[in-house]
Each structure stands twice: as C-alpha cells, then as structure tokens.
Amino acid sequence: GTDESVELYAWPDDPDEMNNLAFQQPEMVTTLRNMLGQWQEEHQTPQDKEAQEGWEVDPATEARLRALGYIG
C-alpha cells in the first residue's frame, strides 16, 4: 500500500515534482519498494548485519523507517 510519505514522480515529464503519482500507481510503488529491499539485502555488508543485531526501536519509529524504505 501507499501512505502520505510515499512519493513517485514521472521525472522527465514532471521535473518540478508537482504531481505525486504514488496513489495512482500503487503497484509501481510496491514493485519499487521490493526492488529496493532486494538490492539492500544483496549489498548489505557483514558490518551492516552486525550493526543491526540487537537494534531495537519503538514501533512508531520502525513503521516510519519501513515506510521510508530504510528497513525491509
């Protein structure tokens, strides 16, 4: 799904980013999130994995980081 923090623009047609397409194209948002998550997993270093062990945040912060694509 999408939320207000998600932005998707057709940059060549909308270089000023005036028309957020995220709500009109939720499938594209999902596809791009999945692609980003896969890329992040593939490029995660052992140090990244180690740093995440024991990492705890409150549920609201975790949801926000997830919505922004920082965590999968």
Side-chain angles (χ1 to χ4, degrees), residues 6-55:
V6 175
E7 296 181 9
L8 177 66
Y9 299 99
W11 195 76
D13 298 325
D14 184 16
D16 295 325
E17 298 180 347
M18 301 298 290
N19 185 25
N20 185 356
L21 301 172
F23 289 103
Q24 296 171 10
Q25 298 185 21
E27 308 85 22
M28 179 61 73
V29 171
T30 299
T31 297
L32 292 171
R33 278 187 169 160
N34 292 339
M35 289 173 66
L36 176 60
Q38 182 178 355
W39 184 90
Q40 288 172 323
E41 287 180 22
E42 291 172 358
H43 293 85
Q44 191 174 42
T45 67
Q47 292 83 5
D48 293 334
K49 292 177 184 175
E50 185 178 311
Q52 290 176 359
E53 291 178 11
W55 184 64

